[in-house]
Amino acid sequence: MNINMTLIGQTIAFAIFVWFSIKYVWPPISNALHERQKKIADGLDAATRASRDLELAQERAEATLHESKEQASQILEQAHKRSSQMVEEARDQARAEGERLVANARAEIEQEINRAKDELRAQVSTLAVAGAERVLEASIDEKAHRKLLDKLAAEL
Amino acid sequence: MAAGNEVTATYYIQHHLQNLTFGYHPQNGWSLAGTSAEATEMGFWAIHLDTMGWSIAMGMLFIWLFRKAGKMATTGVPGGLQNAVEMVVEFIENLTRSAFQGKNPAIAPLALTLFMWILLMNSLKILPVDYFPELFARLGVEYMKIVPTTDPNATLGMALGVFFLIIFYSIKVKGAGGFAKELSLTPFNHWSLIPFNLVLEVIGLLVKPLGLGLRLFGNMFAGEVIFILIALLPFWAIWLLDVPWAIFHILVVTLQAFIFTVLSIVYLSAAHEHH
């Protein structure tokens, strides 16, 4: 256990090893470590981002679904409204048509009645004259009584 | 190895604690030391071949493993070796971030080198104490102490490296004047107390590497001695003590490497601080 040149030799060896380590051993390992650390951090970041994106997409999908449902119900409602409107319109039209028909018929009947009345009126005077002729069995002065008979027919 | 008597036991212990020393012997010239007395006589101009060899081998192992992992390193899913290496790197990176206040990209690799190198050198201790000495004895090599951190030269050598870095960064960050000011005007900021401050601060500065090196050496050496003592028991009883001690040492090996690394970071962080 003597102190000798070994001391110096060991110091030199130490210096060489340390130099080599600083120059060639440490950098590649350290770089790889840090690069991998960065890569993993990036990966984790990407994963969180992706999950957030997924969440967003799900939200959006849900919103779209909701919206389309609303739209569908709106359309349905509109259709209902439209159909009831159409039914109402048709009913109104039918009613108007019916009323018109009824009015026409009534007018026609009125006309018929008037015509019948006119015809009757025209015949009554003749009948009355014939009746009177028979009753009296004498010829009445047609000219003298015509005015009277016309007045009678107009009163009918 | 069961010891027959006192002399062989002493010899066994001494043999296991002797490094393979190559140096200039006054009588034999440049040669391998045959005995521990010869190694002592060589004085400072000698080198422990086993300490150097095993520590460099462990350093190379660290460099090779981590370089390989670094080359394979991709941003994809990491494999087995890469996982282990990256775990260590990340551990050191966090440690540096929490203990080192300044900004210096060289500190983390420095800490990684210290930690892994010391850990690998310490781990050699888990190998049975007789395997390598016996193997090398068969090959004709007299001494072989395979755990470099049980040699104070190795631990103090690394501590010296850290010490130089402390001085270097102190001067680089604060400037020579700033560093001198810090040494002479803290903790008592008064001109008359400059000598007192200087003594205090210089001792404080020198104690850092000394403490670093001796703490590691002390722990590892003591553990090694216990392993050798356990190896002196009869062969059927060795595992009774050896196994618990080895398991305990897995903790010590890691802990000492960790302490050396953390203290180095803390000292270097202090060197970067302005007062």
Side-chain angles (χ1 to χ4, degrees), chain B:
Chain B
M1 190 180 273
N5 55 52
E6 199 81 1
V7 177
T8 53
T10 313
Y11 172 75
Y12 177 79
I13 294 169
Q14 274 177 350
H15 184 267
H16 272 75
L17 293 179
Q18 177 57 44
N19 284 105
L20 180 67
T21 314
F22 179 81
Y24 185 75
H25 191 264
Q27 270 105 60
N28 305 341
W30 290 99
S31 58
L32 281 171
T35 62
S36 58
E38 259 181 54
T40 313
E41 280 160 15
M42 284 176 181
F44 185 75
W45 298 108
I47 194 155
H48 293 160
L49 294 179
D50 47 1
T51 300
M52 287 309 296
W54 284 102
S55 64
I56 288 172
M58 289 302 111
M60 298 292 239
L61 180 63
F62 152 67
I63 294 279
W64 176 71
L65 271 179
F66 278 63
R67 180 99 182 107
K68 196 174 150 196
K71 272 184 183 161
M72 290 194 309
T74 56
T75 50
V77 180
L81 170 70
Q82 206 190 331
N83 248 339
V85 164
E86 281 174 6
M87 201 178 78
V88 176
V89 167
E90 199 153 33
F91 165 67
I92 293 291
E93 204 170 28
N94 289 335
L95 190 69
T96 311
R97 201 173 300 138
S98 60
F100 189 78
Q101 303 303 331
K103 263 207 186 310
N104 188 343
I107 298 300
L110 170 86
L112 176 72
T113 312
L114 277 175
F115 181 71
M116 280 314 295
W117 196 21
I118 294 172
L119 187 70
L120 286 172
M121 289 196 286
N122 287 354
S123 301
L124 286 172
K125 199 169 160 26
I126 305 298
L127 297 173
V129 284
D130 273 326
Y131 278 20
F132 279 92
E134 195 62 34
L135 178 70
F136 277 87
R138 296 276 166 87
L139 296 173
V141 179
E142 179 69 0
Y143 299 106
M144 183 50 60
K145 203 168 123 194
I146 65 163
V147 190
T149 42
T150 55
D151 182 350
N153 287 301
T155 61
L156 287 171
M158 286 186 292
L160 206 61
V162 175
F163 179 67
F164 287 148
L165 284 174
I166 292 173
I167 303 275
F168 171 73
Y169 280 121
S170 290
I171 292 173
K172 191 185 168 196
V173 173
K174 298 160 198 163
F179 186 42
K181 216 183 227 172
E182 188 186 294
L183 287 182
S184 49
L185 291 176
T186 48
F188 305 108
N189 194 357
H190 192 268
W191 62 268
S192 64
L193 285 166
I194 284 176
F196 180 71
N197 287 338
L198 214 53
V199 169
L200 214 64
E201 285 290 306
V202 167
I203 288 175
L205 196 64
L206 292 177
V207 155
K208 284 175 182 175
L210 208 63
L212 266 184
L214 289 182
R215 178 181 304 107
L216 181 58
F217 162 68
N219 277 284
M220 290 301 116
F221 186 75
E224 185 75 355
V225 169
I226 303 286
F227 270 122
I228 294 168
L229 290 178
I230 291 170
L232 284 170
L233 292 170
F235 76 93
W236 46 266
I238 288 175
W239 67 272
L240 265 177
L241 289 172
D242 199 59
V243 168
W245 188 241
I247 291 170
F248 174 61
H249 255 269
I250 293 172
L251 175 69
V252 175
V253 155
T254 322
L255 190 67
Q256 287 305 321
F258 178 71
I259 289 173
F260 197 103
T261 311
V262 169
L263 284 179
S264 299
I265 297 173
V266 169
Y267 291 158
L268 285 169
S269 176
H272 280 72
E273 266 170 30
H274 284 280
H275 286 284

Side-chain angles (χ1 to χ4, degrees), chain A residues 2 4-6 11 21 24 36, chain B residues 44 46 48 67 86 113 153:
Chain A
N2 318 298
N4 55 29
M5 282 284 286
T6 314
T11 309
S21 178
Y24 299 108
R36 188 171 328 122
Chain B
F44 185 75
H48 293 160
R67 180 99 182 107
E86 281 174 6
T113 312
N153 287 301

Side-chain angles (χ1 to χ4, degrees), chain A residues 4-50:
Chain A
N4 55 29
M5 282 284 286
T6 314
L7 186 74
I8 312 295
Q10 195 75 15
T11 309
I12 293 167
F14 168 76
I16 292 170
F17 283 139
V18 167
W19 171 78
F20 198 87
S21 178
I22 292 172
K23 199 98 177 149
Y24 299 108
V25 172
W26 184 267
I29 300 173
S30 183
N31 285 346
L33 270 177
H34 287 134
E35 248 165 63
R36 188 171 328 122
Q37 243 169 19
K38 200 171 158 289
K39 208 171 148 188
I40 290 171
D42 284 354
L44 287 175
D45 257 11
T48 13
R49 215 175 312 127

